[in-house]
Amino acid sequence: MAVTEAPERPANRRKAVRTLVANTAVALLTAVTLVPLIWMVTVSFMPRGESSRFPPPFWPSRWSWENYHELLVRRLIDGAWFDYRIVPALWNSVAIAAISTALGLLLTVPAGYAFAKLRFTGREWLLRVLIAALVVPGQVAMLPLFLMFRELGLVNSYAGVILPSLAGIFAILFVRQACLRIPDEMIDAARMDGASEARIFVSIVLPLLAPITVTLALFLFLGSWNDFLWPLIVLSDQHRYTLPVAVASIVREHAADGELMMAAAVVTTLPVLALFVALQRYYMRGLLGGSVKG
């Protein structure tokens, strides 16, 4: 017994040390990630001017809702109603992100499946073009896109914000890679049983792609929610501003009001953070591709 146990103890100790080092590294990385987020929340509850002291305090001396009240509540000032229009911008962002996500899935999921499993003329050539276009920065196309939308009368409209993001190349390639894991034999068997391509896609492929679809939906929603530059270019009416554009419009006047800006950052971050936490189980499964077996 003594001869067999002796070599196992150093190995167990090395394994325990590696586990301890790995857990410590993960804990430190988590702390580095969370501390700025927590500080953003605590500063949003500080009284005006407190965060500008040196050294900057981490906790407020007095918890106050003053910044959120000024940011979100419509007020009567000198006989006239005034607000920053953050709440309407919040609903604009929710509606635009939801519509962009739904339409984006409707276009990119079948396109990704077609590039992976269907045979048609020019498929490989089109795929190479898509991969080549993936390296072109989106900012390059903004000026010609704006001129095109102006001719079509889509400037300063919600359609003008939504349309450019509907058929993203990354989304198509993301779905294609997931579809490649689906066995061809499964699809061929369904065809031999007389199932149409639409029936195969809806009844066989879509259930297998559920985690991938949820992950892609999260990507599309976050991309639309965080998009700032294109809505800033295409929207000129304040009543149609998205949340990032509305927040940026008040930064020019209140850049020195750190507490108010942090409250705006919390309002911008909180909805997507809640969505990510709610869907994180599907998100991880989608990234790992665990539900689709090749």
Side-chain angles (χ1 to χ4, degrees):
M1 291 294 292
V3 174
T4 55
E5 286 179 358
E8 293 179 357
R9 289 177 180 172
N12 291 337
R13 280 198 294 271
R14 285 197 296 271
K15 183 178 179 182
V17 170
R18 283 199 298 268
T19 303
L20 179 63
V21 171
N23 290 338
T24 304
V26 171
L28 289 175
L29 186 61
T30 304
V32 169
T33 305
L34 288 181
V35 165
L37 190 63
I38 297 172
W39 191 67
M40 177 184 72
V41 176
T42 58
V43 168
S44 70
F45 288 101
M46 290 180 183
R48 286 296 180 83
E50 186 171 357
S51 67
S52 58
R53 293 185 317 192
F54 187 83
F58 192 83
W59 296 102
S61 59
R62 174 176 59 85
W63 291 83
S64 169
W65 289 92
E66 173 191 358
N67 303 307
Y68 289 98
H69 182 271
E70 179 174 346
L71 189 69
L72 301 175
V73 178
R74 193 182 184 199
R75 306 179 306 283
L76 188 63
I77 301 177
D78 297 332
W81 289 102
F82 174 80
D83 71 315
Y84 293 114
R85 300 197 61 79
I86 293 297
V87 175
L90 176 65
W91 290 118
N92 288 342
S93 282
V94 170
I96 289 173
I99 294 172
S100 298
T101 302
L103 295 179
L105 290 177
L106 197 63
L107 293 175
T108 57
V109 175
Y113 168 71
F115 275 109
K117 295 297 180 183
L118 300 184
R119 300 287 182 269
F120 55 89
T121 305
R123 189 187 72 162
E124 298 302 323
W125 181 80
L126 281 174
L127 187 60
R128 291 192 187 97
V129 171
L130 287 181
I131 294 173
L134 195 61
V135 301
V136 179
Q139 291 82 358
V140 174
M142 284 188 175
L143 178 57
L145 197 60
F146 175 80
L147 297 176
M148 187 189 307
F149 276 31
R150 190 179 61 181
E151 294 298 320
L152 295 173
L154 295 176
V155 172
N156 196 30
S157 68
Y158 295 131
V161 179
I162 293 171
L163 283 176
S165 62
L166 293 188
I169 298 174
F170 169 78
I172 294 173
L173 298 180
F174 185 69
V175 176
R176 176 183 176 273
Q177 287 304 114
C179 289
L180 290 176
R181 294 170 176 265
I182 300 175
D184 291 334
E185 294 79 5
M186 184 185 298
I187 296 175
D188 292 338
R191 286 172 180 153
M192 292 179 65
D193 289 340
S196 63
E197 293 297 333
R199 177 69 181 275
I200 293 172
F201 178 72
V202 172
S203 301
I204 298 177
V205 176
L206 275 185
L208 292 173
L209 291 180
I212 299 296
T213 305
V214 173
T215 304
L216 180 60
L218 191 59
F219 283 156
L220 295 176
F221 191 92
L222 291 178
S224 176
W225 182 273
N226 293 326
D227 191 13
F228 167 71
L229 187 56
W230 177 248
L232 178 68
I233 293 173
V234 80
L235 294 178
S236 57
D237 186 354
Q238 188 182 12
H239 293 80
R240 297 180 178 177
Y241 278 179
T242 58
L243 190 55
V245 178
V247 171
S249 68
I250 65 176
V251 168
R252 290 189 289 269
E253 299 177 4
H254 298 274
D257 298 332
E259 298 81 9
L260 184 66
M261 292 299 98
M262 288 299 180
V266 171
V267 172
T268 305
T269 307
L270 203 56
V272 290
L273 188 62
L275 181 67
F276 178 81
V277 171
L279 299 178
Q280 64 173 332
R281 182 163 59 95
Y282 299 98
Y283 174 76
M284 294 306 298
R285 287 177 58 192
L287 286 183
L288 296 175
S291 67
V292 181
K293 298 178 181 178

